[in-house]
Amino acid sequence: MDLLHERLDALRSGARAAMDRALPQTGGTFQARLERDVMVAEQQELLAGFEAGEHGLCFGRLAFRDGRDHHIGRIGIRRADAERTPLVIDWRADVARPFYLATGHTPMGLRRRRHLTTQGRRVTALHDEILDLADGERSGHEGADADAILLASLDAARTGRMHDIVQTIQADQDRIIRAPHDGVLVVEGGPGTGKTVVALHRAAYLLYAHREQLARRAVLIVGPNPAFLGYIGQVLPSLGETGVLLATPGELFPGVTATGTDTPRAAEIKGAAAMADVLARFVADRQTLPDPALVIDHDDGELHLDAEIADRARRQARATLLPHNLARPHFAFHVIDALTAQLTERLGADPYGGPNLLGPDDIAQLGKAIATSRDVHRAIEELWPSLTPQQLVADFLAEPVHLPDADAAAIRRTEGAWTPADVALLDEAAELLGEDDAAARAAAEAERQELIAYAQGVLDLSYGSRTQEFEDREDEDSEVLAAHDLIDADRLAERQEEADHRSAAERAAADRTWAFGHVIVDEAQELSPMLWRLLMRRCPTRSMTLVGDPAQTSEPGGCGAWETILAPHVEDRWEHVRLGVNYRTPNEIMTVAAEVPRTADPSFVPPQSIRSTGVHPWAERTDDLPRAVAAAVARETGHDAQGRIAVIAPRERCAALAAALPAASAGPAPDLTRPVVVLDPRQAKGLEFDTVLVAEPAEFGTSDLYVALTRATQRLGVLHTGALPAGLAGLAG
């Protein structure tokens, strides 16, 4: 182990030294500065991997029958010799698979498998599994229970942050992690089955196996809320992977962070698939006809833009099938052309009925004058306005049309922050409108031409100096090359352009049209049809991993069933796998929790818990809920001072309960590393705590209550002021 850490220290020191040498170098040519920036970025990425490897660098050893030994760890490390002999094999390499898949029945060439438990740089425990019964060698660390390491990790106190499971990946999880990345893979699993952590390790594996492709396109991970993203945020960095963008649905439209809240009914209406057609019709409504005709002042007399001209221009613009803003120049062109014809006919008319007296040059001049007229452009803007997604959606929400009156009233809003459901509307609006970047492209081209002109000036100076030098040395038998002999102005200008050194994930976060290499969606059953339209646009290759549990669907607009989610986008071309083992929730708690969904579906089958604690859930009726919760937190803290406690309550009660617990963290993004947190059930999705106290279960929906009851790894308590819901009627109180 000392040798491994010595090599890690040497690699880390080398990366730091390379950056220390490069960062002070601020001068030099543009190419030199670019090479410096690229090198620094590469060394920073390497250093991140080395820092990640510091914690649990090596956690396993494989001893093969043929005499080979391999140490398995979070990152791969090689010796500094000429052959670069491996010291540690990355857990994602194919040669490491026996560590997760080998059994006594199928040893995969192994004679023994060793698990190492470390604290810092010190080995604290060894556990050997004998896979070849003919092997008589004994180390003294053999154990009969092959699941000892797994159970120890499950019983450990929680920290408020999810940890990687590279040391305890199970065979069914390994097959999902290493599944091909093409197409859509649905990973379904009930509470505690590890679907989230499996999805994160799948992201790490895909970035390892398809580094060139995915590092360039980035991986998007969508989680249900900020608390969840904070909870999982350290898993991938701990595995040395940083090329991932984590976002909630409310953060998927660049420049907008949705902090507002919809009513359940409003969220359901906004998320319905029919909203795409409603918005398309709303955009079409903005392409209007004048009634009466618009009269435009002109130096040569009034121009009349009537409904016939506008309708003909509108039909021709719509025929392009371009988005609204991109079709607008076509509408403008046809309007200008019609007004030019109108003016030409008036000014050039022959009083004797002959051909028009204006020549082509005259007509061109009239067209130019009309095309540059502010009054004409104001008229065009009135009939076919240039729109932004924010402007369009705000206008729609202020006066929702093409909806039943009750639905329109439910979503009508004239002010307030954007909500997560609005983000899908904004993205749909951006698709319908398109972005007319002609002005930006013109500005960029003008800037490029300025750079070329400047570069040409530099070359001209160089040429003048070269000419004088040649004249001074015309008697010498030599040839001197100048800058203009090696490069032209265009290429010299390109080298002066500012390079974008942001990571792929950083660039993707700012670009609505970015196409990700792979997308992972957690709690996928909760997303609305409109949000699925957004995500499918983000991943045109349909390389996706979706994890969730339809039984835990709680959002009114959530799709729930996988067929409902995927049929509009990939039909039946997707793969479904199910995780059925509950690693989190003890059997005593799961037995109680499973009765809640059974009240609605008697055939419901929960995931199978693999452990029992002997601690049964309890219930307590009270007349003073905040006081009772505070007392329960104090009692539970005495059971495990190192653990984490969550109070899960209906959203309307969270503020009062948080006030009764001054040391607790609460709010939209609570600090999960605090000993006590107060959450509503939607915030609790995907999280786990040593102890959970559920307050007022009768006020929860069925799915929300099932989620709340299954967050605990050790102890569960229920506090209530009224009668318990039917699913908990048997819980002693």
Side-chain angles (χ1 to χ4, degrees):
M1 188 62 71
D2 289 341
L3 177 61
L4 299 180
H5 281 285
E6 286 175 8
R7 180 60 181 147
L8 177 65
D9 287 341
L11 292 169
R12 190 160 46 191
S13 296
R16 286 201 183 105
M19 287 195 296
D20 289 342
R21 288 192 301 269
L23 287 172
Q25 299 174 12
T26 57
T29 65
F30 173 79
Q31 183 166 347
R33 295 195 302 272
L34 176 61
E35 291 173 353
R36 177 207 64 190
D37 292 341
V38 171
M39 188 275 288
V40 168
E42 290 175 347
Q43 296 302 317
Q44 285 176 330
E45 185 175 351
L46 284 173
L47 190 58
F50 297 149
E51 295 290 356
E54 174 68 29
H55 305 286
L57 170 61
C58 178
F59 54 79
R61 178 186 175 191
L62 300 178
F64 289 85
R65 291 173 180 171
D66 60 9
R68 289 179 296 134
D69 278 4
H70 290 312
H71 286 88
I72 310 300
R74 281 172 170 74
I75 60 174
I77 295 181
R78 295 178 179 270
R79 292 180 184 270
D81 55 22
E83 292 77 20
R84 301 189 71 233
T85 309
L87 280 172
V88 179
I89 301 294
D90 193 300
W91 67 275
R92 296 166 287 189
D94 286 341
V95 72
R97 292 206 76 182
F99 188 79
Y100 303 110
L101 300 182
T103 64
H105 183 266
T106 310
M108 301 179 70
L110 293 182
R111 59 185 184 86
R112 68 171 53 213
R113 171 171 50 205
R114 167 169 287 182
H115 296 266
L116 295 88
T117 303
T118 59
Q119 185 173 6
R121 296 193 171 196
R122 184 169 58 91
V123 177
T124 58
L126 299 176
H127 182 89
D128 285 350
E129 297 177 62
I130 305 301
L131 299 174
D132 181 1
L133 298 181
D135 182 7
E137 179 186 344
R138 292 295 180 267
S139 65
H141 299 288
E142 289 78 16
D145 186 1
D147 293 325
I149 301 296
L150 172 62
L151 294 174
S153 69
L154 298 179
D155 284 330
R158 268 40 189 178
T159 65
R161 292 288 183 264
M162 178 181 281
H163 294 292
D164 65 68
I165 58 168
V166 289
Q167 190 172 357
T168 58
I169 292 172
Q170 303 301 291
D172 57 341
Q173 297 173 332
D174 183 80
R175 283 188 283 271
I176 294 171
I177 289 169
R178 298 173 191 264
H181 83 294
D182 295 328
V184 177
L185 175 65
V186 173
V187 182
E188 182 179 333
T193 53
K195 54 189 179 293
T196 296
V197 73
V198 166
L200 294 173
H201 285 67
R202 175 164 168 75
Y205 171 75
L206 293 176
L207 284 164
Y208 171 85
H210 306 279
R211 174 73 61 189
E212 183 176 350
Q213 175 185 354
L214 294 185
R216 185 175 64 253
R217 301 308 310 166
V219 173
L220 171 65
I221 297 179
V222 180
N225 55 61
F228 176 84
L229 294 186
Y231 178 63
I232 69 171
Q234 293 304 310
V235 174
L236 286 167
S238 76
L239 300 173
E241 296 298 347
T242 57
V244 176
L245 175 63
L246 278 69
T248 66
E251 298 169 332
L252 291 175
F253 190 86
V256 169
T257 299
T259 57
T261 302
D262 277 313
T263 65
R265 178 59 181 153
E268 183 178 10
I269 294 168
K270 292 178 182 180
M275 193 58 69
D277 290 332
V278 170
L279 284 178
R281 293 169 67 188
F282 188 69
V283 171
D285 290 345
R286 305 301 295 270
Q287 302 162 2
T288 60
L289 301 177
D291 184 20
L294 298 177
V295 179
I296 302 169
D297 291 330
H298 191 270
D299 292 342
D300 294 306
E302 292 180 344
L303 299 173
H304 294 268
L305 177 48
D306 57 22
E308 182 181 353
I309 292 174
D311 182 55
R312 186 163 57 249
R314 185 173 67 174
R315 283 187 282 105
Q316 290 170 325
R318 287 177 174 177
T320 65
L321 302 181
L322 291 171
H324 173 88
N325 287 336
L326 299 184
R328 184 177 183 274
H330 294 269
F331 176 81
F333 171 80
H334 291 296
V335 167
I336 291 169
D337 195 42
L339 294 178
T340 302
Q342 183 182 117
L343 191 58
T344 300
E345 183 178 352
R346 181 197 309 160
L347 297 179
D350 184 347
Y352 302 105
N356 196 287
L357 300 176
L358 298 179
D361 292 342
D362 299 321
I363 296 174
Q365 282 298 110
L366 291 177
K368 183 177 179 180
I370 290 174
T372 57
S373 166
R374 291 183 179 180
D375 290 338
V376 169
H377 281 281
R378 275 194 289 267
I380 291 171
E381 180 68 19
E382 181 178 338
L383 300 178
W384 193 297
S386 179
L387 299 169
T388 67
Q390 289 90 332
Q391 178 185 356
L392 183 81
V393 175
D395 289 348
F396 171 74
L397 294 177
E399 192 53 53
V401 294
H402 309 300
L403 287 173
D405 291 344
D407 290 352
I411 69 170
R412 184 175 286 110
R413 187 183 77 222
T414 57
E415 58 183 17
W418 296 112
T419 70
D422 293 336
V423 166
L425 302 186
L426 289 168
D427 198 74
E428 190 72 28
E431 286 293 304
L432 292 168
L433 296 177
E435 182 179 357
D436 185 1
D437 61 351
R441 284 188 286 107
E445 178 60 22
E447 184 177 355
R448 192 178 77 87
Q449 291 300 329
E450 287 183 12
L451 276 175
I452 291 174
Y454 175 78
Q456 187 62 57
V458 172
L459 290 176
D460 289 344
L461 288 174
S462 171
Y463 179 75
S465 299
R466 164 68 175 82
T467 302
Q468 183 61 49
E469 183 179 0
F470 181 79
E471 291 173 352
D472 292 342
R473 303 179 59 181
E474 60 182 354
D475 293 334
E476 298 182 20
D477 186 16
S478 63
E479 183 175 345
V480 179
L481 293 178
H484 68 272
D485 296 314
L486 305 174
I487 191 169
D488 60 20
D490 280 17
R491 291 196 176 184
L492 183 58
E494 287 177 6
R495 292 189 178 184
Q496 305 307 310
E497 292 178 356
E498 193 67 30
D500 188 348
H501 301 305
R502 292 176 300 170
S503 68
E506 290 170 333
R507 285 182 281 125
D511 185 354
R512 191 195 70 81
T513 62
W514 188 273
F516 287 91
H518 193 79
V519 172
I520 293 175
V521 185
D522 204 303
E523 301 295 348
Q525 76 281 349
E526 302 287 7
L527 271 59
S528 70
M530 287 296 289
L531 276 170
W532 280 113
R533 287 174 63 87
L534 179 157
L535 286 175
M536 291 297 172
R537 286 192 283 266
R538 298 292 194 277
C539 191
T541 62
R542 304 296 190 262
S543 176
M544 310 179 86
T545 302
L546 314 182
V547 298
D549 179 14
Q552 297 184 64
T553 305
S554 54
E555 293 292 340
C559 290
W562 302 118
E563 293 82 2
T564 304
I565 292 171
L566 295 171
H569 307 287
V570 296
E571 297 180 343
D572 60 351
R573 300 185 302 276
W574 49 281
E575 184 180 354
H576 179 269
V577 294
R578 183 173 179 82
L579 295 170
V581 177
N582 188 335
Y583 299 99
R584 174 203 303 145
T585 317
N587 186 60
E588 293 85 352
I589 295 177
M590 201 64 210
T591 299
V592 171
E595 291 304 314
V596 171
R598 282 202 188 106
T599 59
D601 179 9
S603 65
F604 174 76
V605 178
Q608 184 65 44
S609 297
I610 66 168
R611 64 192 181 100
S612 296
T613 61
V615 180
H616 293 274
W618 53 267
E620 176 185 326
R621 189 164 185 167
T622 178
D623 294 328
D624 188 341
L625 187 65
R627 180 189 58 79
V629 168
V633 167
R635 290 196 306 271
E636 294 299 332
T637 301
H639 289 303
D640 183 4
Q642 301 301 314
R644 297 294 185 275
I645 300 174
V647 177
I648 304 178
R651 179 178 299 177
E652 297 76 13
R653 293 183 177 268
C654 284
L657 295 180
L661 299 165
S665 179
D671 181 359
L672 300 179
T673 65
R674 296 278 288 277
V676 182
V677 296
V678 179
L679 306 166
D680 66 51
R682 309 292 171 88
Q683 290 178 302
K685 277 184 174 292
L687 308 182
E688 60 184 22
F689 305 89
D690 300 275
T691 300
V692 170
L693 301 174
V694 177
E696 294 294 22
E699 297 179 11
F700 288 71
T702 299
S703 295
D704 283 345
L705 182 55
Y706 182 52
V707 168
L709 295 171
T710 54
R711 300 303 99 192
T713 66
Q714 301 293 337
R715 293 173 297 281
L716 171 67
V718 177
L719 298 110
H720 56 106
T721 58
L724 289 170
L728 296 179
L731 189 61

